[in-house]
Amino acid sequence: MKILDRLEEWIIALLMGAATLIVFIAVLHRYMAGYAIPGLQDWLLSINMTWAQELTIIMFVWMAKFGAAYGVRTGIHVGVDVLINRMGGATRRKFIIFGLAAGALFTGIIGIMGATFVWDNGAHYGIFELLGRNVDELIEGPTTPDLEWPTWMVYSAIPLGSGLMCFRFLQVLVAFIRTGELPHHDHGHVDGLEEDEAENAA
């Protein structure tokens, strides 16, 4: 689980950092290309950055899907639990179990439907072609406008992210049944900052 947890965090961090860097470079390129500096302006205008917006959108979609799974694992999703917290112990437990099971069911269905959509959208063509099988009668599928990537690769965020989110719901559900505890995120805690340092800073 630790390997999966770290991989999940690294994917989110790398996507966020890379998307931010690409946006910064694209804005800087557009800004600097507006200056009539001999040589520099011509060179900047010769650089095609039209792909930057499309790539950052794709990266943020992937980041959001994996970030949602991270939110389930760490308990940072926004929820209105005033009524649940006012219930008695046994009733509260039943409602929490129902809610977690419903979340797992919903994300599982989305994951399966997403996988079917990705498969029909060209994934079968790409996978069969990679395996060296005959793809003459298969539809290759559409590509993205700027990057010209197969759209099934982009849409793979749906089954992968939803599948991971379903797994996280089940993980939290099993842990709650065993211990009665839900993941809780301490908004005042900063990773890497020791408690005594935090007290001194306060």
Side-chain angles (χ1 to χ4, degrees):
M1 287 302 103
K2 287 185 178 180
I3 295 174
L4 180 61
D5 293 349
R6 293 296 170 265
L7 180 62
E8 184 180 63
E9 292 165 4
W10 273 103
I11 289 173
I12 296 168
L14 287 173
L15 287 172
M16 187 182 300
T20 303
L21 180 62
I22 291 169
V23 169
F24 173 76
I25 292 172
V27 171
L28 185 64
H29 170 266
R30 187 180 304 169
Y31 183 78
M32 293 300 294
Y35 287 101
I37 302 173
L40 178 63
Q41 187 178 42
D42 294 334
W43 176 69
L44 289 173
L45 291 173
S46 68
I47 299 174
N48 181 17
M49 292 290 293
T50 57
W51 52 267
Q53 181 177 1
E54 183 176 283
L55 180 58
T56 52
I57 291 172
I58 293 170
M59 294 173 81
F60 274 109
V61 168
W62 276 74
M63 182 181 62
K65 292 301 293 182
F66 282 90
Y70 174 81
V72 174
R73 174 170 66 91
T74 57
I76 61 175
H77 275 291
V78 176
V80 181
D81 55 0
V82 176
L83 181 61
I84 298 294
N85 290 334
R86 293 176 65 91
M87 292 179 177
T91 306
R92 178 179 178 272
R93 179 181 174 84
K94 290 177 183 177
F95 269 92
I96 290 174
I97 290 174
F98 172 78
L100 292 172
L105 177 63
F106 175 76
T107 51
I109 291 172
I110 296 298
I112 293 169
M113 292 177 66
T116 304
F117 175 76
V118 167
W119 183 259
D120 294 338
N121 201 54
H124 62 300
Y125 179 93
I127 293 171
F128 288 165
E129 186 180 41
L130 184 65
L131 296 174
R133 296 179 61 178
N134 184 13
V135 294
D136 292 340
E137 297 182 1
L138 298 179
I139 299 174
E140 185 175 355
T143 58
T144 59
D146 295 322
L147 294 169
E148 297 184 353
W149 289 355
T151 54
W152 69 266
M153 290 185 176
V154 177
Y155 298 148
S156 293
I158 299 170
L160 292 176
S162 298
L164 181 59
M165 197 172 180
C166 177
F167 172 75
R168 293 304 189 188
F169 270 118
L170 293 173
Q171 188 181 32
V172 172
L173 175 60
V174 170
F176 178 75
I177 292 173
R178 288 178 177 174
T179 66
E181 296 291 331
L182 289 171
H184 176 70
H185 180 72
D186 183 6
H187 297 282
H189 174 72
V190 179
D191 288 336
L193 186 63
E194 300 298 333
E195 291 184 5
D196 54 343
E197 294 178 4
E199 291 175 0
N200 292 335

